[in-house]
Amino acid sequence: MSWENNVRTVVPYTPGEQPKIKNIIKLNTNENPYPPAPEVYEAYKNVNLEDYRKYPDPTCGKLVDAISSFYKVDKDQVFVGVGSDDVLSMAFLTFFNSEKPVLFPDITYSFYDVWANLYRIPFEQKPLREDFTIDPEDYFGENGGVVIANPNAPTGVALPLSDIEEIVKRNSDVVVIVDEAYVDFGGESALPLIDKYDNLLVVKTYSKSRSLAGLRIGYAFGSKKLIKYLLDAKFSFNSYTMNMPSLELGAAAMENREYFEETVAKVVATRERTKKELKALGFEFGDSKTNFIFAKHPSKSGKEIFDYLRAHDIIVRRFDLPRISEYLRISIGTDEEMDTLISVLKEIV
Ligand code: PMP
C-alpha cells in the first residue's frame, strides 16, 4: 500500500502557450488586442502599496458594486472570483453533488471535464450536431446539472436565447450554468432570465471583452439563493480570493461603458472582415459570434497550417482531440495582425 493510492489524481487542463518571445503574433488564447479602459490606468496610479499590509475586503464590495450597477442587478445576485475559471470551478463544487451525470457537449471548453474529474462528479458529454450546433433536446433528460458555454468554445457557435431558456425551464430540479465568456462579441446573454429561474447561473469574465485577462477576474449572476450557496462554498475554501488591485482596477473597468462597447465593436468588425478573407482562401467555419474563428481547410491539414504559422511567428490554437484535430482556433487580433496572418496563410493554402 502506497500513499499514492490516496492521491486525488486528475489529468489537468492545458492552458494555451504564453511565449516569452516578444515579436510574435499571439492569436492562441482569445485575449483582447486592445488595452483596458483609461479608467483602469487611472486606478492603477492610485494603488497604494502601504495598504497591502492588510487583507483585502473579503466581500469584494467595491467590485461587486461596480458590476451590479453596470448590469443593473442587485448586489446579492453577483458573485466574483479569480477569473471565470475560479467561478466555474466553485460552481461545479457547489451545485453538482448528485449521482446523476452532469451534461455538457462533447466539444466545448475543455476545463469542464477536468473539474468534473477533480471533484468526482459523474458527467456525460452530448455530441454536437455535424455542424457544431447544440441540440437542446439532448439536455431535457434526467441529469445532475447542465453546463453550456454560449457562444460555445472552441466552435464560436451561439445558441439562441429561446433555446437556453428552454433548457433552463426543463431542468428546474438542477442548476444550469451558462458560461458567457464570449457573449459580448455577438451572443444573447441569459442575464435577463435570472429573476425568472432560480436555478440559472450566468458566468462572465474580464479576460476577453474587458481586456484584463492578466488581472484574473470572473463573475456570475444568479438568484439570491444560488449566490448565497456559492458564497458559502467560497468562504469555506478561501476568504480572500480577490486581491486589492483586482478589486480597484476591476471596479474602474466597469465605469466606461462607451470604451467597452467601442472595443468590442472593433473586434467584431475585424472578425467579420477576417471571415471574408478566410472564406476567399477556402477555409470552412461556422458563424462565429466570439473573438475567435474556428476554421479548417479542405486541402491542408490542421497540423501543417499550425506548424507553418508557428514557423512564421504566428501562434494559433489547435486541439488534438476527436472531431476537431483539423481545426485551428484563431483569436481576433488587430487589423494589422490579421493582415499578416492572411498573407502568411496565402503562402500555404
Ligand atoms: N470559459 C470559456 C468558454 C473560456 O474559453 C475561458 C477562457 N479560457 C474561460 C471560461 C476562462 O476564462 P477566465 O478564467 O480567464 O475568465
Side-chain angles (χ1 to χ4, degrees), residues 30-54:
N30 300 337
E31 288 139 341
N32 199 308
Y34 301 108
E39 285 74 5
V40 178
Y41 289 78
E42 275 308 305
Y44 185 70
K45 277 196 232 152
N46 297 328
V47 159
N48 184 3
L49 279 178
E50 250 168 58
D51 293 341
Y52 286 25
R53 175 175 79 64
K54 295 183 272 179

Side-chain angles (χ1 to χ4, degrees), residues 13 83-85 88 109 153 179 181-182 205 207-208 216:
Y13 171 77
S84 54
D85 281 341
L88 287 162
Y109 186 30
D179 177 355
Y182 301 102
T205 179
S207 300
K208 321 292 178 184
R216 308 305 298 128

